[in-house]
Amino acid sequence: AKRGGGGGGGGVWFGADPFGGLYGDADVEVLSEGWDEVTAGGHIHGTGDEAMGWSGYSETLRISYASPALLSLQPSRQAVALVERLAAGGGLGAASLTEQLFGPSHDGVLRGGVQVRAMRPDCFASAERVLRGMAPSALVVAGGGAAAFAPAAS
């Protein structure tokens, strides 16, 4: 495994070449903070209130944060515009990245029309996915602010 990411600590570990898991067909491929197939890519969530009759049903898109820890940008005008908007305000936190990728345009707020693909959660796992989904088959050892994952002894 190789440690990736920017200077200092780096929050990403590569067990294999990460480029083999990218599709390259979207302006941005981003790691989702979701912990399973449904939460990683987002889903339509519906709710109903029978007392309201025919107008008592509503739907919304539920998505997890897009993680700035690992993302791939294609050399497109839309990707450049995304980087410029992030640099101009909000920074590269998960909340501002998610807002720029999935938030609606309104009033004076513009979005770049970026095509987004959530990275496959079976190839690119967030810490949440590892701890919720893979932890039953792994031993988590933490020390000095780092965590290591190894197969659990049977």
Side-chain angles (χ1 to χ4, degrees):
K2 295 182 181 180
R3 182 174 226 156
V12 179
W13 287 86
F14 298 109
D17 179 9
F19 296 104
L22 300 177
Y23 288 86
D25 62 350
D27 297 314
V28 178
E29 291 184 65
V30 65
L31 178 66
S32 171
E33 291 289 334
W35 55 88
D36 59 15
E37 296 296 325
V38 174
T39 58
H43 65 282
I44 302 294
H45 177 77
T47 185
D49 183 358
E50 292 180 24
M52 293 185 66
W54 65 268
S55 66
Y57 186 75
S58 66
E59 290 183 338
T60 188
L61 176 63
R62 296 182 71 171
I63 60 171
S64 297
Y65 275 134
S67 174
L70 185 62
L71 58 94
S72 171
L73 301 170
Q74 292 295 318
S76 67
R77 288 189 313 257
Q78 292 83 358
V80 170
L82 169 68
V83 171
E84 289 172 347
R85 284 192 311 277
L86 289 169
L92 192 59
S96 60
L97 178 61
T98 303
E99 180 68 23
Q100 286 296 326
L101 292 175
F102 303 113
S105 294
H106 57 88
D107 300 328
V109 178
L110 299 176
R111 306 285 184 229
V114 178
Q115 292 180 342
V116 181
R117 177 185 285 276
M119 292 179 178
R120 293 177 34 201
D122 57 334
C123 294
F124 300 95
S126 67
E128 185 80 16
R129 178 170 170 80
V130 170
L131 294 174
R132 286 190 184 208
M134 298 177 187
S137 63
L139 174 65
V140 180
V141 181
F149 303 94
S154 41

